[in-house]
Amino acid sequence: MSKKLVIKVTAGADAPERCSQAFTVAAVAVASGVEVSLWLTGESSWFALPGRAAEFELPHAAPLPDLLESILAAGTVTLCTQCAARRGIEEKDTVPGVRIAGAQVFVSEIMAEGVQALVY
C-alpha cells in the first residue's frame, strides 16, 4: 500500500460528481490513516476560499465543508499558484491551513517513493 496519496482535483461546481469524488476519496483516505495531499486546481480553486465549500451541493453526497475540514485536520490542502493568480486569490484570502504552491512542488510530491497520484 502507498504511504502517501496525492489527489489533484480540477473540477468544481462545473462537474460536481467528479469534484465530490475527489474530496470523498481524500477524506476516506485520511480517515483510514493514509497521508493525503489534496491539490485544488481549475474550478476547484474556489473551495480554498471561506464559505465556498458550503455553496456546493450534490444530492446523496457528503457535505463538502465536512470533507474539506477532515482533510485539513489530518492532511494537506494546496491551491495551485497559477490557478490562484488567475482568480485573484492570495494566501491571506484562503481557509486557514490551505497553502499555495506550484507545479514544482506537485511534481516533487508525486515523484517521491511510495506515492500514488490520482487526478479528478
Side-chain angles (χ1 to χ4, degrees), residues 17-94:
E17 288 184 311
R18 192 162 28 113
C19 176
S20 180
Q21 289 169 359
F23 278 85
T24 299
V25 168
V28 168
V30 163
S32 300
V34 175
E35 182 183 351
V36 173
S37 175
L38 179 70
W39 282 73
L40 304 176
T41 68
E43 286 303 299
S44 72
S45 299
W46 295 113
F47 299 126
L49 296 174
R52 285 296 186 91
E55 296 172 6
F56 181 87
E57 291 184 15
L58 181 64
H60 310 291
L64 207 62
D66 296 347
L67 297 173
L68 181 58
E69 183 179 325
S70 69
I71 299 162
L72 280 167
T76 59
V77 178
T78 306
L79 172 59
C80 162
T81 302
Q82 290 181 11
C83 300
R86 280 190 283 273
R87 289 160 179 82
I89 301 171
E90 297 180 21
E91 201 153 347
K92 67 178 178 56
D93 303 322
T94 65

